[in-house]
Amino acid sequence: MSLENIYPIFDTILSRSDKEKMLKQKSIVIWMVGLSGSGKSTLARALENSLHEEGYLTQLLDGDNMRTGINNNLGFSPEDRTENIRRAAETAKLFMNAGLVTICSFISPTDEIRKMAKEIIGDGYVEVYVDCPVEVCEERDVKGLYAKARKGEIPDFTGVSAPFDAPKNPEVAVDTANQTLEQSHQELVKAIIERIKY
Ligand SMILES: Nc1ncnc2c1ncn2[C@@H]1O[C@H](COP(=O)(O)OP(=O)(O)OP(=O)(O)O)[C@@H](O)[C@H]1O
Ligand SMILES: [Mg+2]
């Protein structure tokens, strides 16, 4: 689509750093990556709770929530997954530029898709790998999706019939197969607080 007749505003009244100053926090996007059932949403909520208790202003963007709202016209083909993440990253960037600590939990399965998210968000993108082998996720099968995928009822299911590239250089990684929820939660809070302290 041509942007020939489009004139975005760049000289906003308050900049991101003005808003960070008002909120006394560094705004970042915490981009949580992992298989279905690895613990992204559980840890995202726990992290948000802890940051809230410490006085930080946050915004949570979760895959399933986005898919019931702004992304409700998208499926799971490679093109739709890319568009899902593109919109999520653009949305996260808006919150980050408003000074908020933005927590995103999306499977974000491929190197390519994460590269795009990182490029959209730019300075402030913090990748968190919620690391858990597919066997453990399948054992948990929180939503019963692995059982459906194995029966062929869900095509393109990440880790079963669609690819997942493990992140190679995440800023933070938590090993949820070998840690309790509380251990992963504490490790994550510690790693994030040092990045958002004003
Ligand atoms: N160390 C841990 N950290 C996070 N979750 C854990 C941990 N150990 C066990 N769990 C459990 O793993 C499950 C993770 O489910 P959750 O819904 O958070 O996954 P998800 O990554 O958001 O999946 P989806 O992509 O389908 O939304 C929860 O039942 C949680 O209690
Ligand atoms: Mg989830």
Side-chain angles (χ1 to χ4, degrees):
M1 202 174 302
S2 166
L3 297 178
E4 194 188 345
N5 301 317
I6 309 287
Y7 298 89
I9 298 170
F10 291 110
D11 58 336
T12 51
I13 310 231
L14 290 178
S15 66
R16 174 176 166 197
S17 61
D18 292 329
K19 290 174 185 175
E20 289 179 326
K21 193 173 172 188
M22 286 170 75
L23 294 166
K24 299 186 182 60
Q25 62 187 33
K26 289 279 181 200
S27 65
I28 60 172
V29 173
I30 301 153
W31 195 274
M32 303 182 61
V33 179
L35 290 166
S36 177
S38 59
K40 301 179 300 297
S41 299
T42 306
L43 286 171
R45 287 163 62 100
L47 173 65
E48 184 175 44
N49 212 26
S50 297
L51 297 185
H52 177 63
E53 281 170 5
E54 295 294 321
Y56 293 99
L57 187 60
T58 57
Q59 177 65 44
L60 185 59
L61 299 176
D62 189 77
D64 282 357
N65 292 56
M66 292 286 281
R67 280 186 174 277
T68 61
I70 194 170
N71 288 349
N72 70 4
N73 61 332
L74 301 177
F76 292 86
S77 66
E79 297 73 28
D80 279 9
R81 282 178 189 263
T82 301
E83 179 60 10
N84 180 46
I85 297 300
R86 190 190 67 79
R87 291 184 202 168
E90 290 286 359
T91 309
K93 186 179 173 182
L94 293 174
F95 282 111
M96 179 181 78
N97 285 339
L100 277 69
V101 177
T102 309
I103 306 167
C104 298
S105 39
F106 297 87
I107 296 175
S108 346
T110 61
D111 291 331
E112 196 183 346
I113 236 170
R114 295 190 295 269
K115 184 167 171 271
M116 177 186 66
K118 185 175 178 169
E119 275 169 13
I120 290 170
I121 293 160
D123 177 37
Y125 175 90
V126 176
E127 195 166 285
V128 174
Y129 180 22
V130 182
D131 186 2
C132 188
V134 69
E135 299 75 39
V136 178
C137 295
E138 187 158 0
E139 181 86 22
R140 290 178 185 162
D141 210 5
V142 186
K143 301 174 180 167
L145 300 179
Y146 284 92
K148 284 191 188 171
R150 291 290 176 199
K151 282 194 266 172
E153 291 170 16
I154 310 178
D156 301 321
F157 192 77
T158 305
V160 175
S161 47
F164 179 77
D165 307 329
K168 292 180 188 69
N169 287 305
E171 276 78 16
V172 185
V174 284
D175 175 2
T176 74
N178 295 301
Q179 290 177 328
T180 64
L181 170 57
E182 210 31 50
Q183 286 171 327
S184 303
H185 173 206
Q186 288 313 326
E187 202 174 300
L188 186 56
V189 169
K190 195 162 166 274
I192 296 303
I193 294 239
E194 75 188 33
R195 290 175 162 83
I196 61 177
K197 260 193 219 148
Y198 193 72

